[in-house]
Amino acid sequence: MPSAPAPFDMATFETALRKHSVVVVETYANWCLPCRIQGPLLNTARARPKNADSIVLRIGEKSPKPIWKRFGLKAYGVIIVFREGREVARGSPTEQADMDRLFGHAG
């Protein structure tokens, strides 16, 4: 079972990039329907053996604006996948096949 998303902060992000082969940044709000749809899809993708080392960092409603700007984010329900320290995929999947394609770029 994949670990729960951790709150995003720059120190945690930098550490995660060094320690994990796959780092996922997600924008999330409880009231966001795409976000709620994405949760189980993200867990399924992360449970696959090739993604076992993944970690999710969550940018939420209370995250400072500079964090949103750093990633060029303007909406909830965005998933960004990093591999070996580089962004390799970004999207807003609401179906498992789309989430798997997003992760396919990461492994």
Side-chain angles (χ1 to χ4, degrees):
M1 182 72 154
S3 60
F8 185 97
D9 67 57
M10 287 306 294
T12 303
F13 177 66
E14 294 296 331
T15 299
L17 289 176
R18 287 191 305 276
K19 290 186 170 185
H20 297 273
S21 59
V22 179
V23 177
V24 178
V25 174
E26 72 169 341
T27 59
Y28 183 90
N30 288 332
W31 50 262
C32 169
L33 180 58
C35 299
R36 292 194 317 255
I37 292 169
Q38 289 171 345
L41 306 178
L42 185 55
N43 286 340
T44 297
R46 290 181 63 215
R48 300 191 197 298
K50 69 179 183 175
N51 300 321
D53 184 39
S54 66
I55 183 171
V56 175
L57 302 177
R58 181 175 280 177
I59 297 174
E61 294 177 274
K62 295 183 181 182
S63 297
K65 289 186 190 242
I67 290 173
W68 287 81
K69 284 185 174 186
R70 189 231 186 263
F71 294 102
L73 295 164
K74 296 180 182 177
Y76 293 102
V78 177
I79 305 285
I80 307 171
V81 180
F82 292 83
R83 181 179 174 85
E84 298 173 4
R86 293 181 301 116
E87 181 179 332
V88 296
R90 178 185 291 231
S92 299
T94 56
E95 296 184 10
Q96 192 65 54
D98 294 331
M99 183 69 77
D100 290 342
R101 274 192 286 281
L102 201 66
F103 267 80
H105 292 285

